[in-house]
DNA sequence: TACTGATAGTCAGCATACTGAGCAATATCA
DNA sequence: TGATATTGCTCAGTATGCTGACTATCAGTA
């Protein structure tokens, strides 16, 4: 029988498991307490000031029910703010705070270090290849998850 | 600034996200209710009758605190049994039930189909390359997560 | 304008994953 | 043998990620 550990689905789970562990370790070493998910959300808020939650979720492929809790924690840590939108009373506009900006700036080396560690078993070319193939497989499967990546709409 | 969506960590998360969605969809279409994690645990119990929980966790790289709940659900569904070990009174021996065996057999086509769908954007060679590179990166990072893969000890 | 459908956000519930702590039992070694 | 360390398992707490349902609001149209 084929080894279950060799199936693409299992490799996907393992790779993600290691990626999260490495990220958290590097970030903690740098003296911060931020998850990969929180980091991506914060960086995307900074790059798109005033965006609403659904747009944010689409830009980083999070489920809209997940993003609520993530933003809750960013707000609670004082890194982001959630305001009512003036144009659409259903929507909340998101902004990064000065503290959030400071954190992003200081945390960047740790985040980049994590990415290097994640690929440390591969040569530079192999790392490039892996990322290219992952991007291609992901693009083909984008709409298969409930939270697909959405190019900036609007 | 570099696009966050292009970082290896983000690609890892996305690939895993799609892998789980595809697995669940295929398995549900086949008329079953089993998660990727439950499937891997059940298949490993079948292949290693009487193994204990820590060994099972090591064979599929799950955390020991996660495996408890997974087995709870397999037992509750009648697919596996948990017995006290006679050799070590701390340990629990795991066995697959007839129902579990039947389920595994019938679910296999759906599981294989899921793996194909996950790689559907890639050529056969690209799929092979992706898996080879993932295996290599994972092997190099194995000990960086709290739940590393352990070759059958004993 | 009134109706209908879509959209933004939240919530409850469930299933991974992990941290850290704790209990019971086993192993090791002075 | 007796103290110490280790191991197998569980639990409480936290953070994703999802399903499905619900409210409030908006948009399009008859």
């Amino acid at each position: 029988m084929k080894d279950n550990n060799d199936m693409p689905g299992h490799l996907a789970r393992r790779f993600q498991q290691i990626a999260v562990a490495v990220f958290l370790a590097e970030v903690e070493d740098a003296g911060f307490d931020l998850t990969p998910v929180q980091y991506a959300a914060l960086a995307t808020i900074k790059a798109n000031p005033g965006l609403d939650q659904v747009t944010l979720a689409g830009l980083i492929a999070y489920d809209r029910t997940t993003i609520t809790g993530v933003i809750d924690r960013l707000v609670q840590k004082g890194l982001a703010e959630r305001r009512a939108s003036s144009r659409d009373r259903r929507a909340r506009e998101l902004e990064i705070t000065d503290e959030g900006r400071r954190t992003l700036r200081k945390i960047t080396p740790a985040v980049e270090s994590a990415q290097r560690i994640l690929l440390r078993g591969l040569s530079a070319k192999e790392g490039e290849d892996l990322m290219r193939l992952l991007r291609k497989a992901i693009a083909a499967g984008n709409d298969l998850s409930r939270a697909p990546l959405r190019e900036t709409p609007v």
Side-chain angles (χ1 to χ4, degrees), chain A residues 35-143:
Chain A
T35 67
V37 159
Q38 289 164 16
Y39 169 80
L42 190 58
T44 305
I45 292 172
K46 183 192 169 205
N48 303 271
L51 85 175
D52 63 285
Q53 296 187 189
V54 167
T55 304
L56 170 59
L59 288 175
I60 47 185
Y62 291 9
D63 192 274
R64 71 183 191 286
T65 64
T66 301
I67 207 80
T68 300
V70 174
I71 297 172
D72 282 349
R73 287 178 279 280
L74 288 177
V75 169
Q76 207 216 322
K77 289 177 183 176
L79 305 178
E81 283 176 359
R82 181 152 39 185
R83 291 197 307 254
S85 165
S86 50
R87 285 163 295 125
D88 186 337
R89 277 190 295 168
R90 291 169 303 180
R92 316 298 192 84
E93 287 177 357
L94 305 173
E95 293 287 352
I96 189 170
T97 64
D98 287 345
E99 176 67 17
R101 245 181 284 270
R102 241 187 327 270
T103 297
L104 265 191
R105 199 165 47 238
K106 288 204 227 160
I107 214 179
T108 299
V111 172
E112 288 171 352
S113 166
Q115 310 306 313
R116 277 192 304 275
I117 293 174
L118 185 55
L119 300 181
R120 72 178 182 183
L122 307 180
S123 71
K125 178 179 181 314
E126 286 174 329
E128 294 283 329
D129 285 348
L130 174 56
M131 290 183 60
R132 179 177 53 78
L133 293 170
L134 278 176
R135 272 193 293 269
K136 196 168 176 183
I138 290 166
N142 188 51
D143 289 331

